[in-house]
């Protein structure tokens, strides 16, 4: 049964499927080659990669298979009555062949572009050396500018920190001055009150004994100070 089904298969379809599989393999190989080239030194040829030789071999094999498929289509077109294949089928197969040829050309163009770049670089080393020197100088200048930017940023941060500290110190000094002024005013007011009280006590005690007056004033002063301490703290 399997042999009968295999005999019914169109050999062209099998050949076309083979080419399609090889095209997929080709695309995977090219992706691997390009990825490897990105890790290798600049101006490296495709054939120098680990998959480069295999890629070129697959390209050649696909080109040969496409040529054979095209020959089959051309033969059928010349003998349509003999093969009894509709024009629609022939057109569809031709479209598929053209797609295969386009994909193969895309891969080859990319490989050739890389190899041409390598060849141009090899033919003009002084120019490339000059370009490399210019690129190195530009990179050095860029690094210096970045370092200067970092230093300026650090200086700016330090200046802002100093400014904030100065403002904090100024605020603290102002607060302390106001507190001292308030204390001075309080002491002055207390002194006036003590003087007035001393006079009243002298009249009340009807004495001019300095010792007695000083004792009374001292006790009163202690009481006032204790009262202020209690109020303030």
């Amino acid at each position: 049964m399997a042999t009968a089904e295999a005999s019914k298969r169109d050999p062209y379809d099998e050949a076309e499927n083979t080419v399609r599989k090889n095209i997929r393999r080709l695309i995977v190989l090219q992706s691997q080659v390009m990825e490897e080239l990105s890790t290798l030194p600049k101006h490296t040829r495709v054939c120098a990669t680990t998959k480069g030789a295999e890629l070129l071999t697959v390209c050649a094999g696909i080109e040969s298979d496409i040529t054979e498929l095209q020959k089959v289509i051309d033969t059928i077109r010349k003998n349509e009555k003999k093969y009894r294949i509709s024009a629609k089928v022939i057109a569809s197969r031709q479209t598929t062949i053209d797609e295969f040829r386009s994909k193969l050309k895309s891969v080859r163009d990319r490989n050739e572009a890389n190899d041409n770049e390598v060849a141009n670089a090899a033919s003009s080393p002084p120019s490339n050396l000059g370009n490399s020197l210019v690129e190195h100088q530009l990179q050095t200048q860029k690094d210096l500018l970045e370092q200067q930017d970092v230093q300026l940023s650090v200086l700016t941060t330090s200046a802002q920190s100093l400014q904030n500290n100065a403002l904090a110190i100024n605020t603290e000094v102002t607060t302390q001055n106001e507190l001292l002024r308030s204390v001075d005013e309080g002491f002055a007011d207390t002194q006036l009150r003590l003087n007035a009280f001393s006079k009243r006590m002298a009249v009340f005690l009807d004495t001019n004994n300095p010792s007695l007056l000083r004792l009374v004033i001292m006790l009163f002063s202690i009481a006032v100070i204790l009262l202020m301490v209690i109020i303030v703290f």
Side-chain angles (χ1 to χ4, degrees):
M1 184 67 177
T3 304
E5 290 180 355
S7 63
K8 293 180 181 180
R9 293 177 182 173
D10 190 340
Y12 179 89
D13 291 337
E14 293 183 1
E16 184 179 285
N17 289 333
T18 299
V19 175
R20 183 175 285 105
K21 291 179 181 178
N22 288 335
I23 288 288
R24 293 173 183 169
R25 179 185 173 195
L26 179 67
I27 293 174
V28 172
L29 284 172
Q30 187 188 40
S31 176
Q32 293 173 345
V33 167
M34 292 303 163
E35 183 177 358
E36 184 178 357
L37 284 174
S38 65
T39 63
L40 295 175
K42 196 175 182 181
H43 306 312
T44 301
R45 291 183 177 274
V46 171
C47 60
T49 62
T50 55
K51 297 288 185 179
E54 184 180 358
L55 175 66
L56 297 178
T57 301
V58 173
C59 281
I62 292 174
E63 183 178 17
S64 177
D65 292 341
I66 290 175
T67 301
E68 293 300 322
L69 290 177
Q70 188 63 59
K71 288 180 180 179
V72 172
I73 294 298
D74 293 340
T75 301
I76 293 173
R77 282 175 174 169
K78 293 178 182 179
N79 301 276
E80 293 182 0
K81 294 181 179 180
K82 176 181 178 180
Y83 293 102
R84 297 180 181 180
I85 298 177
S86 65
K88 183 178 180 181
V89 173
I90 295 175
S92 175
R93 290 178 174 180
Q94 183 63 59
T95 300
T96 302
I97 292 174
D98 293 340
E99 290 177 357
F100 290 160
R101 190 177 285 115
S102 175
K103 291 179 180 179
L104 177 63
K105 183 177 182 300
S106 176
V107 172
R108 279 189 162 174
D109 288 346
R110 191 169 183 181
N111 294 339
E112 290 176 0
N114 180 80
D115 290 346
N116 289 337
E117 183 179 353
V118 174
N120 293 334
S123 63
S124 56
S127 175
N128 289 333
L129 180 60
N131 291 336
S132 299
L133 181 60
V134 171
E135 291 177 359
H136 176 71
Q137 291 176 345
L138 291 175
Q139 184 63 39
T140 301
Q141 292 178 357
K142 182 179 179 181
D143 293 339
L144 289 175
L145 290 175
E146 290 179 353
Q147 292 177 1
Q148 291 177 357
D149 290 341
V150 172
Q151 292 174 354
L152 288 175
S153 178
V154 172
L155 290 175
T156 301
T157 303
S158 299
Q160 290 177 349
S161 178
L162 289 174
Q163 182 182 9
N164 293 335
N165 291 335
L167 291 174
I169 292 173
N170 182 58
T171 302
E172 182 65 23
V173 170
T174 302
T175 302
Q176 294 294 335
N177 288 336
E178 292 177 355
L179 181 60
L180 290 174
R181 190 180 301 109
S182 176
V183 172
D184 289 341
E185 292 176 354
F187 275 117
D189 184 63
T190 301
Q191 186 64 37
L192 292 175
R193 292 177 182 273
L194 285 174
N195 292 336
F197 181 74
S198 297
K199 292 179 181 179
R200 291 178 183 176
M201 288 296 295
V203 173
F204 177 75
L205 295 174
D206 192 18
T207 179
N208 291 324
N209 188 349
S211 298
L212 181 59
L213 289 175
R214 280 197 295 270
L215 177 61
V216 173
I217 292 172
M218 185 180 297
L219 292 174
F220 182 75
S221 298
I222 292 173
V224 171
I225 292 172
L226 290 175
L227 181 62
M228 289 181 63
V229 170
I230 293 173
I231 293 174
V232 173
F233 297 98

